Amino acid sequence: DAKTTQPPSMDCAEGRAANLPCNHSTISGNEYVYWYRQIHSQGPQYIIHGLKNNETNEMASLIITEDRKSSTLILPHATLRDTAVYYCIVRVAAAGGTSYGKLTFGQGTILTVHP
Amino acid sequence: DAGITQSPRHKVTETGTPVTLRCHQTENHRYMYWYRQDPGHGLRLIHYSYGVKDTDKGEVSDGYSVSRSKTEDFLLTLESATSSQTSVYFCAISGTSGRTSYEQYFGPGTRLTVT
C-alpha cells in the first residue's frame, strides 16, 4: 500500500472549516484514499473514502487532486467534539476471498478545535 | 454505529497467565481483525479472519492466537501473558454484502495490563 504523509498537528477555531491535507504521491491506480479518526481512548472511526472523485457524506468532504497524489479532508463546521487524531490511509479495497484489506495506520494529524 | 462489542473492557493480569479477549459482532460481517495500539507505534494488526475457521497472521502475531468458530465471535488469546503485551486491543469488522469498499468499523477497545 502507498505511504502517506500528514502534518503532525493542526488547530482550528470552532465553527470554522478544518482542512486536513494528506500527501500520497506513490498511490496506485487501484488504491483508495480512506480517512479515519480516533477520539481519545476510543476506537478509530471511519469517516470517508474515495478513489478519484470528490466525495461527501454527513461527516465530511474528501477532495482528491486530479493526479491523485494528494487529498484534503474537510470538516465544514468543526466542533470541539471533532478534536481527534485523523488518519489518512491508502489501500487497495478488499476484493473478497482471503483478501483482508489491511489498514496501515501512520501517526496521523492531531486536530485541536478551539472555542 | 456498527454492532461490535469487546469483553472485557479492562483487565489486569499477572505475567504467565493465559488471557482471552472476545470480540462480538451483530452485523454478520465476513472479516474480523485484532489490532493493538501502543504509544509511538499506532495501531498494528495482530491477526485477522476472513471467515469461520479461516484466520491468518498480521504483522505482530507472536505470542497471540485466535479462533473463530462462528461468524459473530473472534477470540484473541494470549497463551502466557508478558508485560510487553500490555496494550489497548481493538477489534474491527468489515465486509458488508453489496458494498465494495470494505471499510473497517472498530470496537471500543480492551485495556489490558500485565503486571
Side-chain angles (χ1 to χ4, degrees):
Chain A
D1 293 340
K3 191 172 180 180
T4 62
T5 303
Q6 298 177 252
S9 63
M10 294 184 65
D11 291 334
C12 178
E14 189 176 21
R16 305 296 296 267
N19 298 284
L20 292 91
C22 180
N23 182 284
H24 33 79
S25 59
T26 60
I27 192 171
S28 300
N30 62 347
E31 289 181 313
Y32 288 70
V33 179
Y34 287 76
W35 283 85
Y36 286 76
R37 73 180 182 184
Q38 187 172 24
I39 297 170
H40 181 62
S41 298
Q42 298 181 19
Q45 178 187 24
Y46 165 78
I47 301 173
I48 198 168
H49 75 279
L51 183 61
K52 51 186 175 181
N53 298 321
N54 298 337
E55 302 287 345
T56 296
N57 63 19
E58 65 279 3
M59 290 183 67
S61 294
L62 174 61
I63 308 298
I64 302 174
T65 59
E66 191 169 345
D67 62 8
R68 303 207 324 122
K69 293 184 177 182
S70 65
S71 61
T72 301
L73 178 74
I74 301 172
L75 308 179
H77 305 287
T79 70
L80 299 179
R81 288 178 296 179
D82 292 322
T83 292
V85 180
Y86 287 77
Y87 297 99
C88 170
I89 300 168
V90 173
R91 52 157 276 216
V92 177
T98 61
S99 177
Y100 64 98
K102 169 189 170 184
L103 293 177
T104 301
F105 286 82
Q107 297 303 310
T109 296
I110 301 172
L111 174 68
T112 303
V113 181
H114 298 286
Chain B
D1 290 341
I4 313 169
T5 56
Q6 293 184 230
S7 58
R9 295 291 314 279
H10 301 272
K11 185 170 182 66
V12 179
T13 191
E14 293 183 349
T15 298
T17 60
V19 177
T20 295
L21 309 183
R22 179 184 184 231
C23 177
H24 179 77
Q25 62 149 328
T26 58
E27 306 295 320
N28 200 36
H29 282 20
R30 176 178 181 180
Y31 300 97
M32 298 186 75
Y33 314 80
W34 277 107
Y35 292 85
R36 62 178 287 176
Q37 186 171 33
D38 307 289
H41 289 279
L43 281 100
R44 294 179 291 175
L45 182 67
I46 305 172
H47 280 281
Y48 66 97
S49 170
Y50 48 92
V52 173
K53 297 186 178 170
D54 292 323
T55 65
D56 207 344
K57 297 178 180 180
E59 59 182 309
V60 290
S61 59
D62 287 348
Y64 302 95
S65 62
V66 290
S67 65
R68 191 169 178 199
S69 60
K70 45 187 179 177
T71 300
E72 56 266 36
D73 289 325
F74 192 32
L75 305 180
L76 177 71
T77 297
L78 291 66
E79 300 291 347
S80 178
T82 67
S83 58
S84 65
Q85 294 176 310
T86 292
S87 186
V88 180
Y89 292 86
F90 289 102
C91 174
I93 62 177
S94 73
T96 302
S97 176
R99 300 176 69 100
T100 59
S101 58
Y102 290 91
E103 60 267 23
Q104 293 184 19
Y105 296 93
F106 287 78
T110 294
R111 185 173 296 276
L112 175 67
T113 302
V114 183
T115 61

